[in-house]
Amino acid sequence: MATTKCIRNTEDIMRVILGNTNEYHGEAREIVTDSELAFLPELALGIVEKLNGTLQFIFAEDNRSQNNAFSLHHVFSIPSHRCMLHVMSEIPADTPEFPSLALRLPSANWHERKIADMLGLTPVGHPDPRRLVLHEDWPEGLYPWRTDFDQTQAVPRVEGTYMFHKIDGEGVFEIPVGPVHAGIIEPGHFRFSSVGEKILYLELRLFYKHRGIERFMEGRSLLEGAIAAERISGDETIANAVAYSQAVERALGLAIPERAKRLRAVLLELERTHCHLADIGGAVTDVAFAVGAAKAAILREKVLDLCERISGSRFMRGMIVPGGLRRDLNNRAVLQVANFIEVELCAVQELESSIFSRSSIVDRFTRTGSLSAEHALKLGVVGPIARASGVPVDARINYPYGFYTMYPLGLITRSEGDVASRVKLKFDEIRQSLAVIKAALDGIEQGAIYGDDEATIIHSQALGWVEAPRGQAICWVEITETSKIAQCRWRTPSFSNWPALPLALQGDIVPDFPLVNKSFNLSYAGNDL
């Protein structure tokens, strides 16, 4: 992590970037700088329009006990300079407000509303100041991320009504779906405004299962933080643990051994493979192709079984810690993974052929749930959803880390942005994941799996990021001199991608919703920490 001081415009930013030659073990850089609140709107717009950057993350922290102010953080990715630009500003405690970016940068929308809910800081000029995370039965004036909020208190429920947007017109009616659903899925409310079956507008109401993970992590040890990170979203156990661990490693300047980098890549790509297979199986289930769904389920089960055999856990929990790995993979486990790739690659090809050789499936997938590249860019969509719309974003390539600095990947994109594109892209990425695993194992040598545990612990902070199966996850962690977590914030891929779902459904029919929703594969829990 490199730090510099106050910036006002894009010219200042370029000076900072070009003047900063600090490298972090060959990985993409995090450049930290300060700015004043008044400069933020033009600064943000300049980064996006002049430097082709993307607003990735906005978060805040309560520092009133230190300087009688809140800290506001904006994180931008700038792929042309392979860096994350981290801009920090102070919000005086007696004026708890900041300029909203949401009107000009729609990707700021949910971030700013979350800050308003959790810290009571008002985004001035926000076009939609309704609550986001806290529901209407939460009392006014209680902010869970403020340091003076008593986590042990019982919070009384109050009466309140969430005001959904209304679409007026002849023949327009509303269809409310959820938050409780017929199947075994997580809670979420979807309110359709339709004419007949055609969807005019969809409004989401989520955040029914907030667990307080970020606040829970405060005061925990660095190992406990890794365990909590694994539980953000069960099927992205490895990705979230790696994002957290890389944040800690950056903060403390820890280098991890090459063997640990290679094995982390193996675990990350196994996780991507079973997640993508689940998505593919879900999509063909919703077009009644039971044979394809069964084949995908069998393949996924084989991956999960392999994960259990090599790690002791189907979701590979307990493997990742800051500094490296908690447990090594022995030679037998490495051989099992290598053999799996040889055997199952053909099965993946056969599954893809069986799906896309059927005209009825191709017809249902094509031009359904189309998300344009323009909308994906404006909303800061990440991962396979963005890539299927032609947006070239992949943290493994744009901001490489770990093994991906040694094994550059080719970027896979599709251009149509519909369900067919998303499913095809996931097949492409499964093949790529198996190639990454093979490359990581081919060059692996015996050696340490844990780095220098004699590192000096100082008060520090840093970002960590990873390309999770659903897209880029970002973790920010602040560490105390006593090796505890002071504060931790997350931006998961589902938090970035949920706002794009209504746009993908505009003009489609209501029965398309399960199919499009499945092709997005967004996490409810992973969105609501």
Side-chain angles (χ1 to χ4, degrees):
M1 181 179 68
T3 308
T4 185
K5 282 298 177 183
C6 187
I7 57 174
R8 299 184 174 204
N9 49 45
T10 49
E11 286 72 24
D12 287 345
I13 293 172
M14 286 309 301
R15 277 195 291 273
V16 167
I17 292 174
L18 296 176
N20 186 301
T21 56
N22 291 338
E23 290 287 341
Y24 178 75
H25 305 297
E27 299 187 356
R29 295 172 294 167
E30 177 192 356
I31 299 175
V32 182
T33 186
D34 295 334
S35 188
E36 295 177 15
L37 291 176
F39 300 134
L40 282 175
E42 292 307 317
L43 191 63
L45 210 60
I47 293 170
V48 172
E49 293 182 347
K50 297 180 182 177
L51 304 180
N52 293 319
T54 302
L55 175 62
Q56 293 283 351
F57 192 11
I58 310 175
F59 62 96
E61 53 176 329
D62 183 355
N63 286 335
R64 288 175 297 164
S65 61
Q66 300 164 32
N67 57 2
N68 198 32
F70 297 89
S71 289
L72 183 66
H73 303 243
H74 288 75
V75 178
F76 301 87
S77 59
I78 305 179
S80 57
H81 293 280
R82 223 174 64 142
C83 71
M84 294 282 176
L85 182 69
H86 182 168
V87 183
M88 300 169 59
S89 311
E90 279 194 358
I91 301 176
D94 57 359
T95 315
E97 59 185 37
F98 60 97
S100 170
L101 307 180
L103 264 180
R104 296 205 225 178
L105 299 177
S107 56
N109 181 355
W110 276 25
H111 295 282
E112 293 178 349
R113 290 170 67 187
K114 183 175 181 179
I115 290 170
D117 283 2
M118 305 306 283
L119 281 162
L121 306 176
T122 302
V124 178
H126 196 291
D128 183 8
R130 294 175 299 171
R131 286 184 174 181
L132 179 73
V133 179
L134 302 180
H135 282 208
E136 53 277 7
D137 59 354
W138 183 271
E140 293 283 349
L142 281 182
Y143 304 110
W145 280 358
R146 288 198 176 189
T147 52
D148 52 6
F149 176 80
D150 181 2
Q151 298 180 70
T152 64
Q153 68 178 311
V155 177
R157 298 185 68 165
V158 299
E159 289 191 10
T161 302
Y162 185 79
M163 301 303 292
F164 286 92
H165 290 304
K166 290 288 183 184
I167 306 299
D168 296 322
E170 185 177 350
V172 178
F173 59 93
E174 289 187 344
I175 306 173
V177 178
V180 179
H181 301 273
I184 306 173
I185 61 174
E186 299 172 277
H189 181 80
F190 305 92
R191 186 160 297 205
F192 298 89
S193 296
S194 307
V195 173
E197 289 191 326
K198 186 175 181 180
I199 300 169
L200 297 180
Y201 178 73
L202 167 62
E203 183 164 358
L204 312 176
R205 187 74 174 118
L206 304 174
F207 303 97
Y208 286 89
K209 53 190 309 176
H210 191 75
R211 293 160 292 165
I213 288 179
E214 288 152 300
R215 190 73 197 266
F216 169 83
M217 292 175 80
E218 294 178 16
R220 306 285 169 179
S221 70
L222 300 183
L223 175 58
E224 289 171 330
I227 295 170
E230 289 181 340
R231 281 145 181 84
I232 287 173
S233 186
D235 57 3
E236 291 182 324
T237 288
I238 294 294
N240 289 324
V242 170
Y244 163 79
S245 295
Q246 290 184 159
V248 173
E249 289 153 9
R250 281 176 176 270
L252 300 180
L254 285 174
I256 72 169
E258 181 176 329
R259 182 176 175 85
K261 290 181 180 178
R262 288 177 177 270
L263 291 179
R264 280 185 177 182
V266 170
L267 303 182
L268 283 165
E269 299 305 329
L270 281 174
E271 186 171 77
R272 191 180 325 279
T273 300
H274 76 65
C275 281
H276 281 6
L277 285 168
D279 297 350
I280 292 165
V284 295
T285 297
D286 284 340
V287 295
F289 183 37
V291 173
K295 287 180 178 178
I298 290 169
L299 268 174
R300 179 176 186 253
E301 186 57 32
K302 287 182 178 179
V303 180
L304 292 173
D305 179 64
L306 175 67
C307 294
E308 184 171 23
R309 279 186 281 136
I310 64 172
S311 72
S313 161
R314 286 164 62 83
F315 291 105
M316 299 180 283
R317 285 188 168 170
M319 293 294 291
I320 305 295
V321 290
L325 266 70
R326 201 173 183 186
R327 294 198 302 276
D328 203 352
L329 267 63
N330 58 33
N331 290 338
R332 183 166 174 269
V334 169
L335 190 61
Q336 286 177 332
V337 176
N339 289 340
F340 173 85
I341 295 169
E342 295 294 332
V343 172
E344 300 305 336
L345 189 55
C346 291
V348 172
Q349 306 273 47
E350 193 274 333
L351 174 61
E352 184 178 19
S353 296
S354 71
I355 292 173
F356 285 100
S357 63
R358 285 166 169 77
S359 58
S360 61
I361 296 176
V362 173
D363 183 58
R364 287 286 286 119
F365 280 5
T366 304
R367 292 185 294 279
T368 301
S370 296
L371 179 70
S372 69
E374 180 187 3
H375 284 152
L377 281 168
K378 283 185 175 178
L379 292 175
V381 173
V382 297
I385 300 172
R387 293 192 285 275
S389 293
V391 179
V393 291
D394 187 325
R396 297 172 296 174
I397 298 164
N398 302 128
Y399 319 102
Y401 50 88
F403 177 67
Y404 306 105
T405 61
M406 300 183 279
Y407 184 76
L409 296 178
L411 188 62
I412 299 174
T413 59
R414 296 267 176 174
S415 58
E416 296 82 2
D418 54 9
V419 173
S421 287
R422 291 190 278 276
V423 173
K424 287 178 180 175
L425 183 124
K426 285 172 184 173
F427 273 112
D428 295 339
E429 293 195 349
I430 288 173
R431 282 187 284 272
Q432 186 181 54
S433 290
L434 297 180
V436 173
I437 294 170
K438 185 175 186 307
L441 294 180
D442 279 349
I444 199 165
E445 296 180 356
Q446 293 296 327
I449 57 166
Y450 192 79
D452 178 15
D453 58 2
E454 301 297 325
T456 302
I457 305 296
I458 57 172
H459 183 271
S460 53
Q461 58 168 308
L463 294 168
W465 55 86
V466 69
E467 186 67 21
R470 294 184 176 89
Q472 186 179 14
I474 303 177
C475 172
W476 171 80
V477 66
E478 181 182 12
I479 300 170
T480 69
E481 299 87 344
T482 56
S483 192
K484 300 288 185 185
I485 298 172
Q487 299 190 72
C488 189
R489 298 284 185 268
W490 286 87
R491 198 237 50 204
T492 64
S494 291
F495 191 85
S496 291
N497 291 347
W498 268 114
L501 181 62
L503 291 173
L505 278 159
Q506 277 185 355
D508 283 350
I509 58 175
V510 175
D512 285 335
F513 171 65
L515 174 60
V516 178
N517 193 24
K518 206 69 69 68
S519 74
F520 268 58
N521 184 31
L522 302 168
S523 172
Y524 297 72
N527 177 59
D528 191 9
L529 278 56

